[in-house]
Amino acid sequence: MPLVRPLWAALLDLAAERDCGGCGRPQPSGEPLCPACDGLLAEGGPWRTLAAVPGTPRTHAVARYEDPVRTMLIGYKERGRVDLRRALGRALARAVAQTLDTALDTAGAAGCASVALVPMPSRRKAVRDRGQDTTARLARTAARALSEVGLPVRAVAALRHARAVEDQAGLSREQRQANLAGALRARRPAAVATSSVVLVDDISTSGASLAEASRALREAGVPVLGAATIAAARVRS
């Protein structure tokens, strides 16, 4: 049953004219985004995000978490707009590229042998409700986009939940930290041990999720190079 809604959404994508996934204007061309909304993902940023939680890795995002990008992400995750995945995944790839460039410049390195994009693990209930792990699929789309331009990138599910967590929406910074403290564990750390690891997620707000993910990997002996998201609640202008 959880697959019914996403499958119907996919069929509607093929059978009907869609509205723009950002601003909602009709799209006679059938493209998921109008040129203006697509430009926000393809041309905006990337910016360094401003995290409120200590331990958050250096993170870049291509957009602020506000409309129309907010509407795109909600549409993709909660309303079955699977047709937005390619544009969102390529936006994530741009943020990853900036994080890699910044990290390598800071370290004075000429390059890296391989890069592993590690998505934030989704809660089981969210995966059941949505019919898919939306973050993992964005990570794979971003990895493919970067591979197309010659970067040795792969997506690896190297994190898992060690205990149940509440939905982060509506929680304060302190509540987010408490909700996530010790909530993640490394999964198959050997699979990413020789790669440059970049954490990826759709949104960065306080940075609590990324900080917890970084801690879990670090304790498993896997350093994190940085992080990348599509949108962020706070960015450095």
Side-chain angles (χ1 to χ4, degrees), residues 59-81:
T59 306
H60 289 87
V62 298
R64 292 174 174 83
Y65 186 54
E66 56 191 30
D67 288 335
V69 175
R70 177 179 176 274
T71 299
M72 296 178 204
L73 290 169
I74 292 173
Y76 168 64
K77 293 194 302 181
E78 309 295 348
R79 298 173 183 167
R81 286 296 301 261

Side-chain angles (χ1 to χ4, degrees), residues 19-25 27 32-34 36-38 40-41 66-73 75 79 81 84:
D19 293 339
C20 170
C23 65
R25 295 188 181 95
Q27 283 291 94
L33 295 172
C34 70
C37 290
D38 186 61
L40 290 174
L41 298 177
E66 56 191 30
D67 288 335
V69 175
R70 177 179 176 274
T71 299
M72 296 178 204
L73 290 169
R79 298 173 183 167
R81 286 296 301 261
L84 296 173

Side-chain angles (χ1 to χ4, degrees), residues 121-128 130 161 164-168:
S122 298
R123 294 180 302 128
R124 290 183 180 179
K125 182 179 185 303
V127 174
R128 288 197 303 270
R130 296 166 182 167
H161 283 286
V165 296
E166 299 296 326
D167 191 332
Q168 294 278 85

Side-chain angles (χ1 to χ4, degrees), residues 52-121:
V53 173
T56 304
R58 185 186 295 267
T59 306
H60 289 87
V62 298
R64 292 174 174 83
Y65 186 54
E66 56 191 30
D67 288 335
V69 175
R70 177 179 176 274
T71 299
M72 296 178 204
L73 290 169
I74 292 173
Y76 168 64
K77 293 194 302 181
E78 309 295 348
R79 298 173 183 167
R81 286 296 301 261
V82 294
D83 57 333
L84 296 173
R85 185 188 303 133
R86 186 172 184 273
L88 292 171
R90 288 185 171 273
L92 181 58
R94 294 182 62 236
V96 170
Q98 184 60 57
T99 292
L100 289 172
D101 285 346
T102 301
L104 295 176
D105 286 346
T106 301
C112 50
S114 66
V115 177
L117 304 188
V118 176
M120 292 297 301

